[in-house]
Amino acid sequence: MTDSIEAQRPSNRVLPHELPAALRDAGLMNWIREPLDDAVDRRRRIIVPPAAAVMGTLASAYQGALLAEARHPDTVFMMGDNPALPTMPERPVLKDFFQLRLSKIGASHLLQSAKVAAKRGLDEKVIMACLLHDIAIAGLLSANHGYWGAQMVGPYVDEEVAWAIEKHEALRYFPDESVGYTYPEAYIDYFGPDYNPPEYIHREAAAARQHRWYMTSRLVTINDIYSFDRDAVVDFDEFEDVVGRNFRQPGEGLGFDGSPVAHMWRTMIWPNNFL
Ligand SMILES: [Fe+2]
Ligand SMILES: [Fe+2]
């Protein structure tokens, strides 16, 4: 195993402008050929994946090669608009993130969960929490997604909505058959039949169960569509009114309102910034 890892490591003798094919194939380099606007010129742009994304993987072996590559005069690190991504408006609102940034599969999962909650006639706070519950997976980070997601939306939603998003992280592992929630079949595939979440998750779930907002978060897990239809199309506009009443869009745009979480939204706008 060690030998094969060594064999795949980029050589120190990588010639200028000859990045290993693996880096090009992995999309870690953009070579922009036509000068179209300020963000697009003839320079090559190197994308360095965040440490958390490559730790413990073969990709971490390429970090040195990527750093060395940016020293060439016609090569820079990616900063600002990545031409491979759709441009965001100057003052983006939630819908822009759904349409221009969140992964297709992630956005679809959120919209389908919210739609089921709406069809069941649930409270708007529950619908809103369902619409946002996995926003961190779809646009930022998967690990600890309930906590990241709750923080990101915290300044813009009712406290109960943010709480429900945070606590779904722990509650989803624990059945509550009195309200029809069983352990997700999908998790047996995802994590194996013997998976036991860490102790802190057990503690968080037990505490959430005693909380007055327990059912709001539990309803997020109940309406979480584990075996969702990857091809179903749900239009964000179906939730325009719910979002209008339950999500305070800042006038300056998400990412630019100076809130304590603005940097999280900016990270989704410019996800490939080196620093
Ligand atoms: Fe989730
Ligand atoms: Fe989910």
Side-chain angles (χ1 to χ4, degrees):
M1 184 64 191
T2 311
D3 283 354
S4 65
I5 289 173
E6 287 300 326
Q8 290 175 54
R9 244 175 217 161
S11 149
N12 290 333
R13 290 175 285 111
V14 172
L15 297 170
H17 306 168
E18 292 297 328
L19 274 189
L23 292 185
R24 289 196 300 273
D25 296 348
L28 294 170
M29 182 185 68
N30 285 30
W31 192 345
I32 312 305
R33 292 166 189 283
E34 301 297 332
L36 297 174
D37 61 37
D38 286 345
V40 178
D41 53 33
R42 300 187 68 84
R43 293 183 296 182
R44 298 191 308 171
R45 291 163 198 281
I46 301 289
I47 296 173
V48 180
V54 297
M55 227 176 262
T57 75
L58 283 172
S60 62
Y62 292 116
Q63 284 177 318
L66 291 171
L67 292 171
E69 198 53 29
R71 293 180 176 264
H72 297 302
D74 61 350
T75 306
V76 292
F77 285 122
M78 181 72 76
M79 294 295 280
D81 290 333
N82 177 352
L85 283 170
T87 309
M88 290 286 277
E90 241 172 81
R91 297 171 183 218
V93 295
L94 186 62
K95 180 178 173 178
D96 297 315
F97 285 90
F98 267 78
Q99 296 190 328
L100 304 175
R101 283 297 181 272
L102 301 190
S103 68
K104 289 267 169 294
I105 197 169
S108 174
H109 170 67
L110 293 173
L111 289 162
Q112 288 184 55
S113 294
K115 185 158 186 160
V116 172
K119 264 196 189 151
R120 288 173 175 160
L122 295 169
D123 189 277
E124 284 197 354
K125 280 182 195 164
V126 173
I127 300 171
M128 196 65 217
C130 289
L131 186 65
L132 297 171
H133 75 284
D134 286 339
I135 190 169
I137 300 181
L140 194 63
L141 277 168
S142 302
N144 290 291
H145 71 280
Y147 302 90
W148 287 103
Q151 228 171 355
M152 277 169 63
V153 304
Y156 315 112
V157 298
D158 191 280
E159 202 185 334
E160 185 174 347
V161 172
W163 188 91
I165 293 170
E166 180 178 311
K167 301 306 175 192
H168 99 274
E169 168 110 27
L171 287 176
R172 72 208 153 102
Y173 292 110
F174 302 96
D176 182 349
E177 280 163 27
S178 70
V179 289
Y181 182 77
T182 50
Y183 187 78
E185 288 277 316
Y187 282 10
I188 297 170
D189 294 333
Y190 291 173
F191 310 126
D194 53 348
Y195 181 70
N196 182 22
E199 193 46 44
Y200 81 92
I201 287 284
H202 284 263
R203 281 199 307 272
E204 291 262 306
R209 208 160 176 152
Q210 302 306 318
H211 197 280
R212 70 186 191 283
W213 292 335
Y214 166 63
M215 199 43 67
T216 312
S217 191
R218 175 50 76 200
L219 282 166
V220 171
T221 67
I222 290 173
N223 292 281
D224 207 340
I225 313 298
Y226 293 102
S227 53
F228 61 103
D229 177 356
R230 282 153 207 258
D231 300 318
V233 178
V234 181
D235 193 342
F236 184 89
D237 289 339
E238 286 187 31
F239 303 101
E240 200 183 348
D241 291 347
V242 174
V243 171
R245 286 188 289 269
N246 294 276
F247 192 91
R248 295 181 287 277
Q249 316 259 13
E252 306 91 329
L254 288 162
F256 307 104
D257 59 344
S259 86
V261 301
H263 61 287
M264 296 188 183
W265 298 88
R266 290 196 302 272
T267 301
M268 292 196 286
I269 297 171
W270 296 300
N272 308 120
N273 276 10
F274 177 51
L275 296 173

